[in-house]
Amino acid sequence: MTSSARDAMPAPRHNRPKLRAAVILFLLVAVFVADTVTKFEIAIAVFYILIILLAIGYMSTRGVILLAGLCVGLTGLSLLLSRHGSFEAGLMNCGISIAAIATTTYLVLKTVAAQASAFEAQAQMVRVARLTSLGALTASIAHEVNQPLAAIATSGGACRRWLDRDPPNIDKARQAVDRIVHDANRAGDVITRVRSLAKSEPLHREALNLNDTIGEAIAIAQNETERNNIILHLSLAEDLPQVLVDRVQILQVVGNLLLNAIEAMHVMPTFKRELEITTFQEDRDRIAFTVTDSGVGIKPAALDHLFEAFWTTKEGGMGIGLSISRSFVEAHGGQIAVTSTPRMGATFRVSLPVAERNLA
């Protein structure tokens, strides 16, 4: 048994150790005396197995083996000291008793070893789960803060260009600095929300207009859409009921889907890069939005794994964005799904309960 296995074993009960030692000693003497003074035909020595069972959890493995050896020795000594009955019957009973003691000792020690192995495996699973959770949390934060950090870098570069002009454009530079401050705060909010999700803390819900949240996400991704010559089509339903959501999380979901759509169209000619966003009332209790790109689409075999953590079709991708998005959406009682036809683009659909349902 390894040291880690011994550590994983349940701690022996040390409550009233002297009492248990006294009971074991008493039974040891009682069985020996009874086995010695009774006839050979009576197999009193088989009760030594009770002593072995009492010693499990109280003595170490070596101590149990030594105790079993002592019981075997006393059984043989009783055979020599007994004076009544058939010696042949006594010899047979002695052999049966020794076999019972040895078998019981072997089985209980194997059982204890198996329990120790199970505890060790369980402890190892807990350690692996903790490391996996820590890794997933680290990857999630790294992935989610990448958006605001990229925006900060872009705004910082724009600010420097406005200041380098002659004369410098102070107003434009000030606007760039404001965007930097906004995105820095957003990065902090993202970290806070991801950590809250990992700790299963309650969401910071507020009643929002989904169209406004989508508009905010589009504004954040504006640089990317312009830089990649994306043609944006909006079809936003009017008079949608509000949703009761954590604004930062839903903003991250929309942002992830927008950036994924933009990346999916990198290989397409610029005149074919079209992105469509729609919102609509799905039914009385739910509203939904879709993000459709005109990229290369997703292979059918990949659709089943698309929302799994650390599974990605992108070279250098982390495979965490869609997993986080699904966690965020499902935490709000919503659903996220994808449909795609190869070479015809992909459509991500997110549905969310309306605020009235959440408030009920």
Side-chain angles (χ1 to χ4, degrees):
M1 187 185 305
T2 64
S3 58
S4 57
R6 285 193 296 271
D7 294 338
M9 287 180 62
R13 297 179 179 177
H14 294 300
N15 54 331
R16 300 182 179 180
K18 293 182 180 179
L19 177 60
R20 181 175 292 205
V23 171
I24 290 175
L25 181 60
F26 171 78
L27 289 177
L28 200 63
V29 174
V31 172
F32 173 72
V33 172
D35 191 34
T36 302
V37 300
T38 54
K39 295 180 180 179
F40 284 121
E41 289 84 353
I42 304 175
I44 297 294
V46 77
F47 288 102
Y48 280 122
I49 62 176
L50 296 178
I51 299 172
I52 301 300
L53 295 175
L54 278 175
I56 294 298
Y58 171 72
M59 302 178 68
S60 65
T61 300
R62 176 175 296 181
V64 172
I65 294 174
L66 291 176
L67 181 62
L70 178 60
C71 293
V72 170
L74 292 176
T75 302
L77 182 60
S78 293
L79 176 67
L80 298 176
L81 296 179
S82 294
R83 292 292 181 266
H84 308 288
S86 171
F87 180 77
E88 290 76 12
L91 185 61
M92 183 174 293
N93 284 336
C94 178
I96 293 174
S97 298
I98 291 175
I101 295 170
T103 302
T104 301
T105 304
Y106 173 78
L107 291 178
V108 295
L109 289 180
K110 290 290 289 184
T111 300
V112 170
Q115 289 178 339
S117 297
F119 277 110
E120 183 181 21
Q122 187 178 23
Q124 181 67 19
M125 288 180 62
V126 171
R127 288 193 292 270
V128 170
R130 287 175 178 170
L131 290 174
T132 302
S133 298
L134 180 60
L137 177 61
T138 304
S140 301
I141 292 176
H143 179 275
E144 294 304 290
V145 299
N146 188 53
Q147 289 181 32
L149 289 180
I152 289 172
T154 301
S155 298
C159 180
R160 185 169 58 185
R161 288 194 298 274
W162 291 120
L163 292 176
D164 287 343
R165 285 195 172 187
D166 188 18
N169 191 326
I170 301 300
D171 290 338
K172 291 289 186 181
R174 184 178 290 111
Q175 293 175 11
V177 170
D178 290 341
R179 290 197 298 272
I180 291 173
V181 173
H182 176 269
D183 288 324
N185 291 331
R186 188 160 64 93
D189 289 340
V190 168
I191 293 174
T192 301
R193 297 298 195 274
V194 174
R195 291 180 60 187
S196 297
L197 181 69
K199 293 189 292 186
S200 300
E201 292 181 349
L203 299 175
H204 301 269
R205 296 177 187 269
E206 55 184 311
L208 294 176
N209 184 306
L210 183 59
N211 289 343
D212 293 342
T213 304
I214 290 176
E216 187 176 355
I218 292 173
I220 293 172
Q222 184 176 2
N223 289 334
E224 288 298 311
T225 54
E226 292 178 353
R227 189 167 63 87
N228 290 278
N229 298 311
I230 304 293
I231 300 173
L232 181 62
H233 302 284
L234 290 178
S235 179
L236 306 181
E238 297 181 352
D239 301 326
L240 284 177
Q242 291 184 316
V243 288
L244 194 65
V245 297
D246 185 307
R247 186 186 65 83
V248 175
Q249 289 192 1
I250 298 304
L251 191 60
Q252 287 301 112
V253 172
V254 181
N256 279 332
L257 297 181
L258 289 181
L259 292 182
N260 284 346
I262 293 171
E263 291 176 358
M265 293 185 284
H266 277 169
V267 296
M268 305 299 291
T270 54
F271 66 90
K272 287 187 176 180
R273 297 177 183 177
E274 298 186 18
L275 178 63
E276 181 179 10
I277 302 175
T278 65
T279 60
F280 54 93
Q281 179 103 29
E282 190 174 63
D283 55 37
R284 187 177 66 85
D285 297 326
R286 306 177 78 86
I287 61 175
F289 70 92
T290 59
V291 178
T292 303
D293 65 71
S294 59
V296 295
I298 304 169
K299 295 180 180 178
L303 291 175
D304 294 336
H305 306 281
L306 210 57
F307 295 100
E308 296 178 3
F310 304 115
W311 194 94
T312 181
T313 58
K314 303 176 188 174
E315 184 177 353
M318 298 178 65
I320 200 73
L322 289 177
S323 174
I324 295 173
S325 296
R326 183 174 67 175
S327 298
F328 285 169
V329 171
E330 292 181 349
H332 289 80
Q335 295 177 336
I336 183 171
V338 58
T339 56
S340 176
T341 302
R343 297 184 298 278
M344 297 294 289
T347 297
F348 285 84
R349 175 189 179 115
V350 177
S351 66
L352 294 167
V354 299
E356 289 78 5
R357 180 184 176 186
N358 286 324
L359 291 171

